[in-house]
Amino acid sequence: MKKVLFLSAMSVFNVAAVQAAVADAQDTLRMEELNEVSVSATRASEKTPMAFTNIGREEISKRNTGADIPFLLSLTPSVTITSDAGNGIGYTTLRVRGTAPERINITANGIPMNDAESAQLFWVNMADFASSVENMQIQRGVGTSTNGAGAFGASINMQTENIGATPYAGIDASFGSYGTHKETVRFSTGLVGDHWGLQGRISDIGSDGYIDRASTKLNSYFLQAGFYSENTAVKFITFNGVEKTYHAWDYTSKYEQETYGRTFNPCGAMDWEYSKFYDNQTDNYRQQNYQLLWNQILTSELNLNVGLHYTKGKGYYEQYKIEAKWGDYGLWSAVDGDIQTKDGLEYKPIVKGDLIRQKKMDNDFYGAIASLRYNNDDNLEATIGGGWNKYDGDHFGRIIWTSAMPYKYYYNKANDAKWKDAEGNKYFYAFDDARVTTPDFEYYRNNAEKTDLNVYGKVNYTIVEGLSGYVDLQYRQINYRMQNPGDWYGANTDDKYIIDDTFNFFNPKFGINYQINDNNRVYASYAIAHKEPTRNDYEANLGLKMKAERMNDLEAGYKFLSETFSAGANLYWMDYEDQFVLTGELNEIGEAVAINVPESFRMGIELEAAWQPVKWFRWDANATLSRNRVKDVKVALNDGTEASLGDQPLSFSPDVIANSIFTFQHKGLSATLSGRYIGQQYLTNSGFEKMTCWEADGTTETQESIVLDGHFTSDLDLSYSFVLPHYGVKKASVGITLYNLFSAKYDTGGWAAPSYRMNNGKVEAYNASCLTDYAVRDQWGVGFAPAAPFHCMAHLSVLF
C-alpha cells in the first residue's frame, strides 16, 4: 500500500513537473513571439529575395570570448575586419563586400545605432554587447528598408536578449594573451507574477593589446525590465559603455616596423626620436542608451511595434602634439610665416611649441520608430513603418598644457646676424611669457544638428503557390545643419551654420521569389539606395557643394536545402553614382578620408554550403569572388597637372574572401577549426601596388608596398560542456580558443598617401616625405595595422 501511494505521489509530481515545464515553454515561446515584433518589420525572411545570414544565440555565445562584434561576424560571407590594437579588442571595424563601415546600417530592436554624423557604429562604445544579443541578421546589398542611417551595402539587425520565463544567474570569464580578460555577470528573474521580469548583465573587459601601449579598458552594463500579458509586451532597456583606449590609429610603415619592431606604435611620442611617450594619449568616451519598446499583437494577423530611444554620448581624446604651430590654437596673435619688421630688420616668425590638447564631443540623439505588420499566413505579408530621429552635437577643443618653448624667428637671409640654421637662414630665440596660455583654454567650438525622417511600406504577395512578389518603397529625408566643422582657432567665430543641406531620397526595391519545391529556391531583386555625406566628407571638402551617393543593386540567387546538405549562390551587381570611396589617407584622428567619384561598381558571386553527414560532424564554407572598380581614376601630379589612370580597383575591396569551418561535437565535447583567406587589398584607388621611396642617403631608391597582402589564418576552439545538478549548475562550459595557429604575419588595416609624378612618360607613385621631411623609405607615406601572431584565450561559463 505504501509503495502504491509512493508511486501515485511520484506520478502526480511528474505530471505537475511536466505541466510546469510545458507552461514555461509556452510562456517562453509567447515572450519570444512578442519580442520578435520589434525586429520583424526590418528583417528579411525566406520569402525575401535578398542575400542575408542569420546568426543565433548559440553561435554568438560560442565565439564571444572578449573580441568585438566585428570579429564574431568575421566568418560570415563577404566580411572583412580591422583591429587597431591587433587582437580584436578596442577600435575595430567591419566591411561587407568592401563597403566601408559608415555605409552599413546597424539597428538594435529596430532602433538606429549608427552615429548620426560619422554614420559609423563605434563598437568600442558597446563593449560586450554580444552578451546581450539574442540573434542577428546581416543583409548584404541594399537589403530591406530599415530605420536610421542609409543602408548602402549592408545592414546588421540585432535583437537583444529575451528575459525568459525561468530565472537564472550566470558568470562568464575569459583570460589570455596580451593581458586580455573579460568578466561578465548576468541574471534574470524569469517571469514574476506571470507578467513581470528583470534581466541584465555587467561586464568588464581589458587588454594590453598586441601593439605597444594599445591598451583597452571597457566597462558596460545591460538592464531590461519587462511587462508581458497575453498579447502585450512593454520593455524598458538601458545599456551603456565606458571606454578608455590608448591611441593606436596612426599605424606604422614597414621601415618603422623593421627599425623599432612589428608592434611599434608612434602615437603619444613626445619627441621625434621616439625616446619617450605620453602616458595619457587616450580616447575616453561614455555612451548611455535608453529604449522603450511596446510590442502589441492586435489580432492573429496584425501586430504593432512602437519604440522610443535616447542616446547620450560624451567624451574626448587627449593628445600630445610635438612642435605644434601655436597660431593654429590661438596661442599666438600673429600668423605663422608672416613677415614682420623689428629694429629695421625683417623677421619671419615660426612659432611652435609642444602642447597637450583634448578634442571633445557632447551629443544627444533621440527619436521614435513604429511599424504595423500584417501576415495572414497564407498569401500576404505587409508592413508600414518609419521613424524620426534628431541629433544635436557639440564639438570643441581645449589646450590643457603648453611647453615654455621659445618662439623661433627666421631672419631674412640678406640681413646680418650672429646665428644661422643649417640652411643659412639666420634666427634668434625670444621668449614671450604673455603668450603661454592658462590651462583649459578653449580654441574651437562648433555645433551640428541632423534630422532623419523615413517612412516605408513593404508587401510580399504569393501570386501562385511557390511564387511570390516583393515590393518595398521608402522615402527618406535628411536635414543637416553644421557650423564650421574646422578644428582650428577662429574657424567658427560667428556661430553661423555654414552648411544647411536637405536631402530627399526615394528608395524602391522589387523582387521575385520562387520556391520550386521543398529543396530548391531561386530569387532576384532590384533596389535603389541613396546615402548622404558624412561629417568627415563635409570637412574634407569644405566649401564644395556635396553630392549624395546613389546605388543600383541587382541581385539573383539560388538555394538548395536537404537534410544533410545545403548550398547557395548569390550574384550581385552594385553600380554607384558619386560614391564616396576611401582614398587610403587618414585624417589626424585616424579616420578614413573619402572623395566623390562619378562612377564605380562592385560585382561578384557569393557561394555558401553546409554539409552534415553525421550528427557529430558539420562542415560550413563560404566564398566571395568579386570585381570592384572605380572608373576613370584621376590623380594630381606634382607639377600641378592631372593624369588619368583609367579603371582601377576600389580600395579595401579584396577580390577573394573565403571561409571554412569544421565543427565536431560528441556529447559535451566540441571542437571548431576555422580557416580564412582574404585576398590582396589596395590602400588607394590608383591601382599602384608599390611606390618609389629613398633610403636615408637620399639617393638609394627602393620600391615599397602600398597594399594589404593576401593572407590565410586559422583558429581552433575547444570546449567541454557539462551539468552539475547537485550544485545547482544548469550548464557549465570550459574551453580554450587558439587564434592564428600558424602565426601568419598580416595586416588588418592601413593607410597610404603617395604623391604622383610623371617618370619616363609614365605616372609614378612616390613618397614625397622622403624628399621634404627627412623620411626614410615608406616612412610617413604609408601605415599598416599588424595583426597579432599566435595567441589564445581560455574561457569559462557557468549558468545557475
Side-chain angles (χ1 to χ4, degrees):
M1 184 68 178
K2 289 182 179 179
K3 189 174 183 180
V4 172
L5 289 173
F6 176 75
L7 289 173
S8 300
M10 286 297 295
S11 299
V12 172
F13 176 79
N14 288 337
V15 169
V18 170
Q19 288 175 337
V22 169
D24 282 346
Q26 291 174 339
D27 287 342
T28 300
L29 289 172
R30 193 59 170 174
M31 292 169 72
E32 289 178 358
E33 183 182 358
L34 285 163
N35 286 325
E36 287 169 0
V37 171
S38 65
V39 297
S40 59
T42 55
R43 283 202 170 174
S45 68
E46 287 302 321
K47 288 186 177 181
T48 309
M50 295 175 182
F52 63 91
T53 300
N54 292 323
I55 303 101
R57 179 66 186 165
E58 184 177 348
E59 185 175 349
I60 294 170
S61 299
K62 188 174 182 179
R63 296 178 58 82
N64 183 26
T65 59
D68 298 339
I69 284 180
F71 276 67
L72 271 62
L73 303 178
S74 62
L75 296 175
T76 55
S78 301
V79 167
T80 57
I81 53 178
T82 71
S83 171
D84 285 4
N87 64 333
I89 298 176
Y91 270 93
T92 60
T93 61
L94 169 107
R95 295 188 178 97
V96 181
R97 295 181 180 174
T99 299
E102 58 269 18
R103 279 143 183 83
I104 299 175
N105 171 279
I106 302 173
T107 59
N109 304 317
I111 302 293
M113 300 302 296
N114 299 65
D115 174 73
E117 287 195 287
S118 70
Q120 288 194 51
L121 189 154
F122 295 98
W123 298 102
V124 72
N125 298 329
M126 298 181 65
D128 202 26
F129 193 70
S131 290
S132 299
V133 172
E134 186 70 23
N135 53 64
M136 302 187 206
Q137 183 178 87
I138 304 178
Q139 299 174 12
R140 302 184 296 278
V142 170
T144 66
S145 289
T146 185
N147 301 301
F152 210 66
S155 300
I156 299 176
N157 184 305
M158 301 180 288
Q159 179 184 333
T160 56
E161 197 172 16
N162 300 326
I163 292 177
T166 56
Y168 69 80
I171 299 174
D172 304 316
S174 303
F175 59 93
S177 305
Y178 315 117
T180 304
H181 63 90
K182 170 183 175 286
E183 299 83 34
T184 301
V185 177
R186 49 198 173 92
F187 76 95
S188 175
T189 62
L191 207 55
V192 178
D194 294 330
H195 295 294
W196 303 91
L198 186 68
Q199 188 265 347
R201 66 153 175 91
I202 185 168
S203 303
D204 174 65
I205 297 176
S207 177
D208 296 331
Y210 168 65
I211 303 301
D212 294 344
R213 302 180 313 284
S215 60
T216 302
K217 184 178 181 181
L218 309 175
N219 300 109
S220 65
Y221 75 79
F222 178 93
L223 184 65
Q224 61 176 327
F227 168 81
Y228 297 88
S229 65
E230 180 65 21
N231 296 309
T232 303
V234 179
K235 291 205 295 185
F236 174 75
I237 300 173
T238 178
F239 55 95
N240 87 336
V242 180
E243 62 93 2
K244 182 171 186 175
T245 57
Y246 196 96
H247 297 182
W249 56 46
D250 284 351
Y251 303 166
T252 50
S253 66
K254 296 301 183 184
Y255 164 75
E256 290 170 325
Q257 291 180 31
E258 291 175 14
T259 304
Y260 305 106
R262 189 167 182 261
T263 62
F264 173 67
N265 179 11
C267 293
M270 300 176 70
D271 57 44
W272 297 117
E273 289 75 35
Y274 302 122
S275 65
K276 54 183 178 179
F277 295 87
Y278 182 52
D279 289 339
N280 203 37
Q281 185 96 350
T282 56
D283 184 76
N284 306 265
Y285 200 77
R286 180 186 181 94
Q287 182 171 291
Q288 187 74 44
N289 298 266
Y290 302 95
Q291 297 181 358
L292 180 61
L293 306 174
W294 173 36
N295 302 331
Q296 182 71 41
I297 298 176
L298 301 173
T299 69
S300 61
E301 299 175 337
L302 197 64
N303 59 58
L304 173 70
N305 163 238
V306 177
L308 303 176
H309 68 91
Y310 171 65
T311 300
K312 177 65 177 180
K314 190 172 185 179
Y316 66 93
Y317 76 82
E318 190 164 310
Q319 189 175 34
Y320 192 98
K321 299 288 287 184
I322 307 171
E323 295 185 16
K325 290 185 178 181
W326 284 14
D328 291 345
Y329 296 89
L331 308 180
W332 176 253
S333 57
V335 178
D336 290 340
D338 281 359
I339 301 298
Q340 299 182 35
T341 302
K342 181 178 181 181
D343 299 331
L345 299 176
E346 290 184 339
Y347 301 94
K348 186 177 182 180
I350 306 297
V351 187
K352 295 182 178 180
D354 292 3
L355 56 83
I356 299 173
R357 69 179 186 180
Q358 290 182 345
K359 295 184 70 174
K360 299 192 172 189
M361 294 180 63
D362 189 348
N363 51 71
D364 302 276
F365 180 58
Y366 51 91
I369 65 164
S371 66
L372 183 65
R373 182 170 179 262
Y374 173 84
N375 184 357
N376 65 6
D377 287 326
D378 181 18
N379 63 345
L380 178 63
E381 295 179 38
T383 303
I384 57 172
W388 177 90
N389 306 294
K390 176 68 179 289
Y391 170 89
D392 188 343
D394 289 322
H395 299 255
F396 53 103
R398 289 177 175 166
I399 305 299
I400 64 171
W401 174 86
T402 59
S403 69
M405 181 178 287
Y407 309 136
K408 181 182 287 188
Y409 290 84
Y410 285 96
Y411 278 98
N412 186 298
K413 285 186 178 183
N415 295 316
D416 187 22
K418 182 178 180 181
W419 300 280
K420 295 182 179 181
D421 66 7
E423 298 177 355
N425 295 305
K426 301 163 188 178
Y427 64 89
F428 74 94
Y429 288 114
F431 286 96
D432 185 352
D433 291 335
R435 298 297 182 188
V436 178
T437 184
T438 56
D440 211 25
F441 172 71
E442 185 172 288
Y443 66 96
Y444 80 92
R445 177 179 285 270
N446 59 72
N447 175 264
E449 297 178 351
K450 186 175 182 180
T451 304
D452 183 339
L453 167 70
N454 87 93
V455 292
Y456 58 83
K458 309 177 187 182
V459 173
N460 199 320
Y461 180 71
T462 301
I463 303 167
V464 295
E465 186 176 355
L467 181 64
S468 61
Y470 178 79
V471 178
D472 181 343
L473 306 177
Q474 183 196 52
Y475 167 73
R476 185 165 176 254
Q477 183 186 78
I478 301 98
N479 177 256
Y480 204 176
R481 298 177 70 238
M482 194 186 309
Q483 295 174 347
N484 192 320
D487 60 356
W488 59 89
Y489 182 76
N492 189 49
T493 56
D494 55 10
D495 293 333
K496 290 183 178 178
Y497 287 84
I498 65 172
I499 296 165
D500 191 348
D501 288 347
T502 298
F503 299 92
N504 292 281
F505 299 141
F506 176 58
N507 300 318
K509 308 166 185 69
F510 308 94
I512 193 164
N513 180 80
Y514 182 40
Q515 189 73 44
I516 302 170
N517 52 41
D518 290 342
N519 304 111
N520 298 276
R521 180 171 79 98
V522 293
Y523 62 85
S525 66
Y526 172 72
I528 296 175
H530 296 82
K531 183 76 174 65
E532 73 278 9
T534 67
R535 179 186 178 90
N536 285 348
D537 297 332
Y538 276 105
E539 192 169 355
N541 300 275
L542 202 59
L544 301 178
K545 181 63 178 177
M546 303 299 291
K547 298 179 181 179
E549 306 169 78
R550 174 188 167 102
M551 179 176 69
N552 300 278
D553 182 19
L554 181 62
E555 312 251 346
Y558 165 76
K559 287 195 173 184
F560 172 82
L561 178 64
S562 70
E563 289 186 2
T564 60
F565 180 72
S566 65
N570 184 75
L571 294 162
Y572 65 90
W573 171 276
M574 299 162 67
D575 188 61
Y576 299 87
E577 296 176 20
D578 299 314
Q579 181 186 186
F580 276 98
V581 300
L582 301 179
T583 65
E585 300 174 82
L586 301 179
N587 62 22
E588 64 173 5
I589 61 171
E591 295 176 326
V593 176
I595 60 170
N596 260 135
V597 295
E599 296 182 82
S600 56
F601 68 86
R602 304 179 191 275
M603 62 180 295
I605 182 170
E606 295 165 327
L607 305 170
E608 296 180 77
W611 180 47
Q612 189 169 7
V614 291
K615 186 177 181 181
W616 55 267
F617 171 72
R618 178 184 172 101
W619 180 23
D620 293 88
N622 62 73
T624 301
L625 309 175
S626 64
R627 180 177 175 83
N628 314 279
R629 294 292 183 267
V630 182
K631 297 182 179 180
D632 193 22
V633 173
K634 293 180 173 59
V635 295
L637 303 179
N638 64 338
D639 61 3
T641 62
E642 190 177 68
S644 178
L645 302 178
D647 295 358
Q648 297 296 341
L650 273 165
S651 59
F652 301 98
S653 302
D655 289 345
V656 180
I657 302 172
N659 298 294
S660 175
I661 308 104
F662 295 101
T663 304
F664 305 85
Q665 288 186 319
H666 178 66
K667 296 184 178 179
L669 289 171
S670 176
T672 302
L673 177 64
S674 61
R676 178 169 175 78
Y677 177 76
I678 304 293
Q680 177 179 278
Q681 301 177 62
Y682 289 82
L683 291 178
T684 72
N685 298 295
S686 66
F688 284 98
E689 296 183 10
K690 294 185 180 295
M691 67 177 174
T692 300
C693 304
W694 291 266
E695 295 280 6
D697 58 20
T699 58
T700 304
E701 189 175 291
T702 67
Q703 294 293 315
E704 307 291 343
S705 174
I706 50 173
V707 298
L708 301 179
D709 292 332
H711 60 272
F712 174 81
T713 60
S714 56
D715 302 333
L716 176 63
D717 180 80
L718 302 170
S719 65
Y720 177 67
S721 299
F722 54 95
V723 296
L724 297 172
H726 295 297
Y727 297 95
V729 176
K730 298 176 181 177
K731 183 180 179 181
S733 176
V734 61
I736 187 168
T737 305
L738 311 176
Y739 298 98
N740 197 359
L741 284 172
F742 305 107
S743 283
K745 289 188 176 181
Y746 68 99
D747 304 294
T748 67
W751 62 269
S755 298
Y756 302 93
R757 65 181 185 181
M758 295 298 295
N759 186 10
N760 295 323
K762 293 184 178 180
V763 178
E764 176 187 56
Y766 72 101
N767 184 10
S769 296
C770 289
L771 306 179
T772 59
D773 295 327
Y774 309 104
V776 179
R777 289 171 41 195
D778 61 346
Q779 190 179 24
W780 304 338
V782 64
F784 297 92
F790 171 79
H791 59 290
C792 61
M793 286 287 289
H795 42 88
L796 170 69
S797 178
V798 182
L799 184 68
F800 300 95

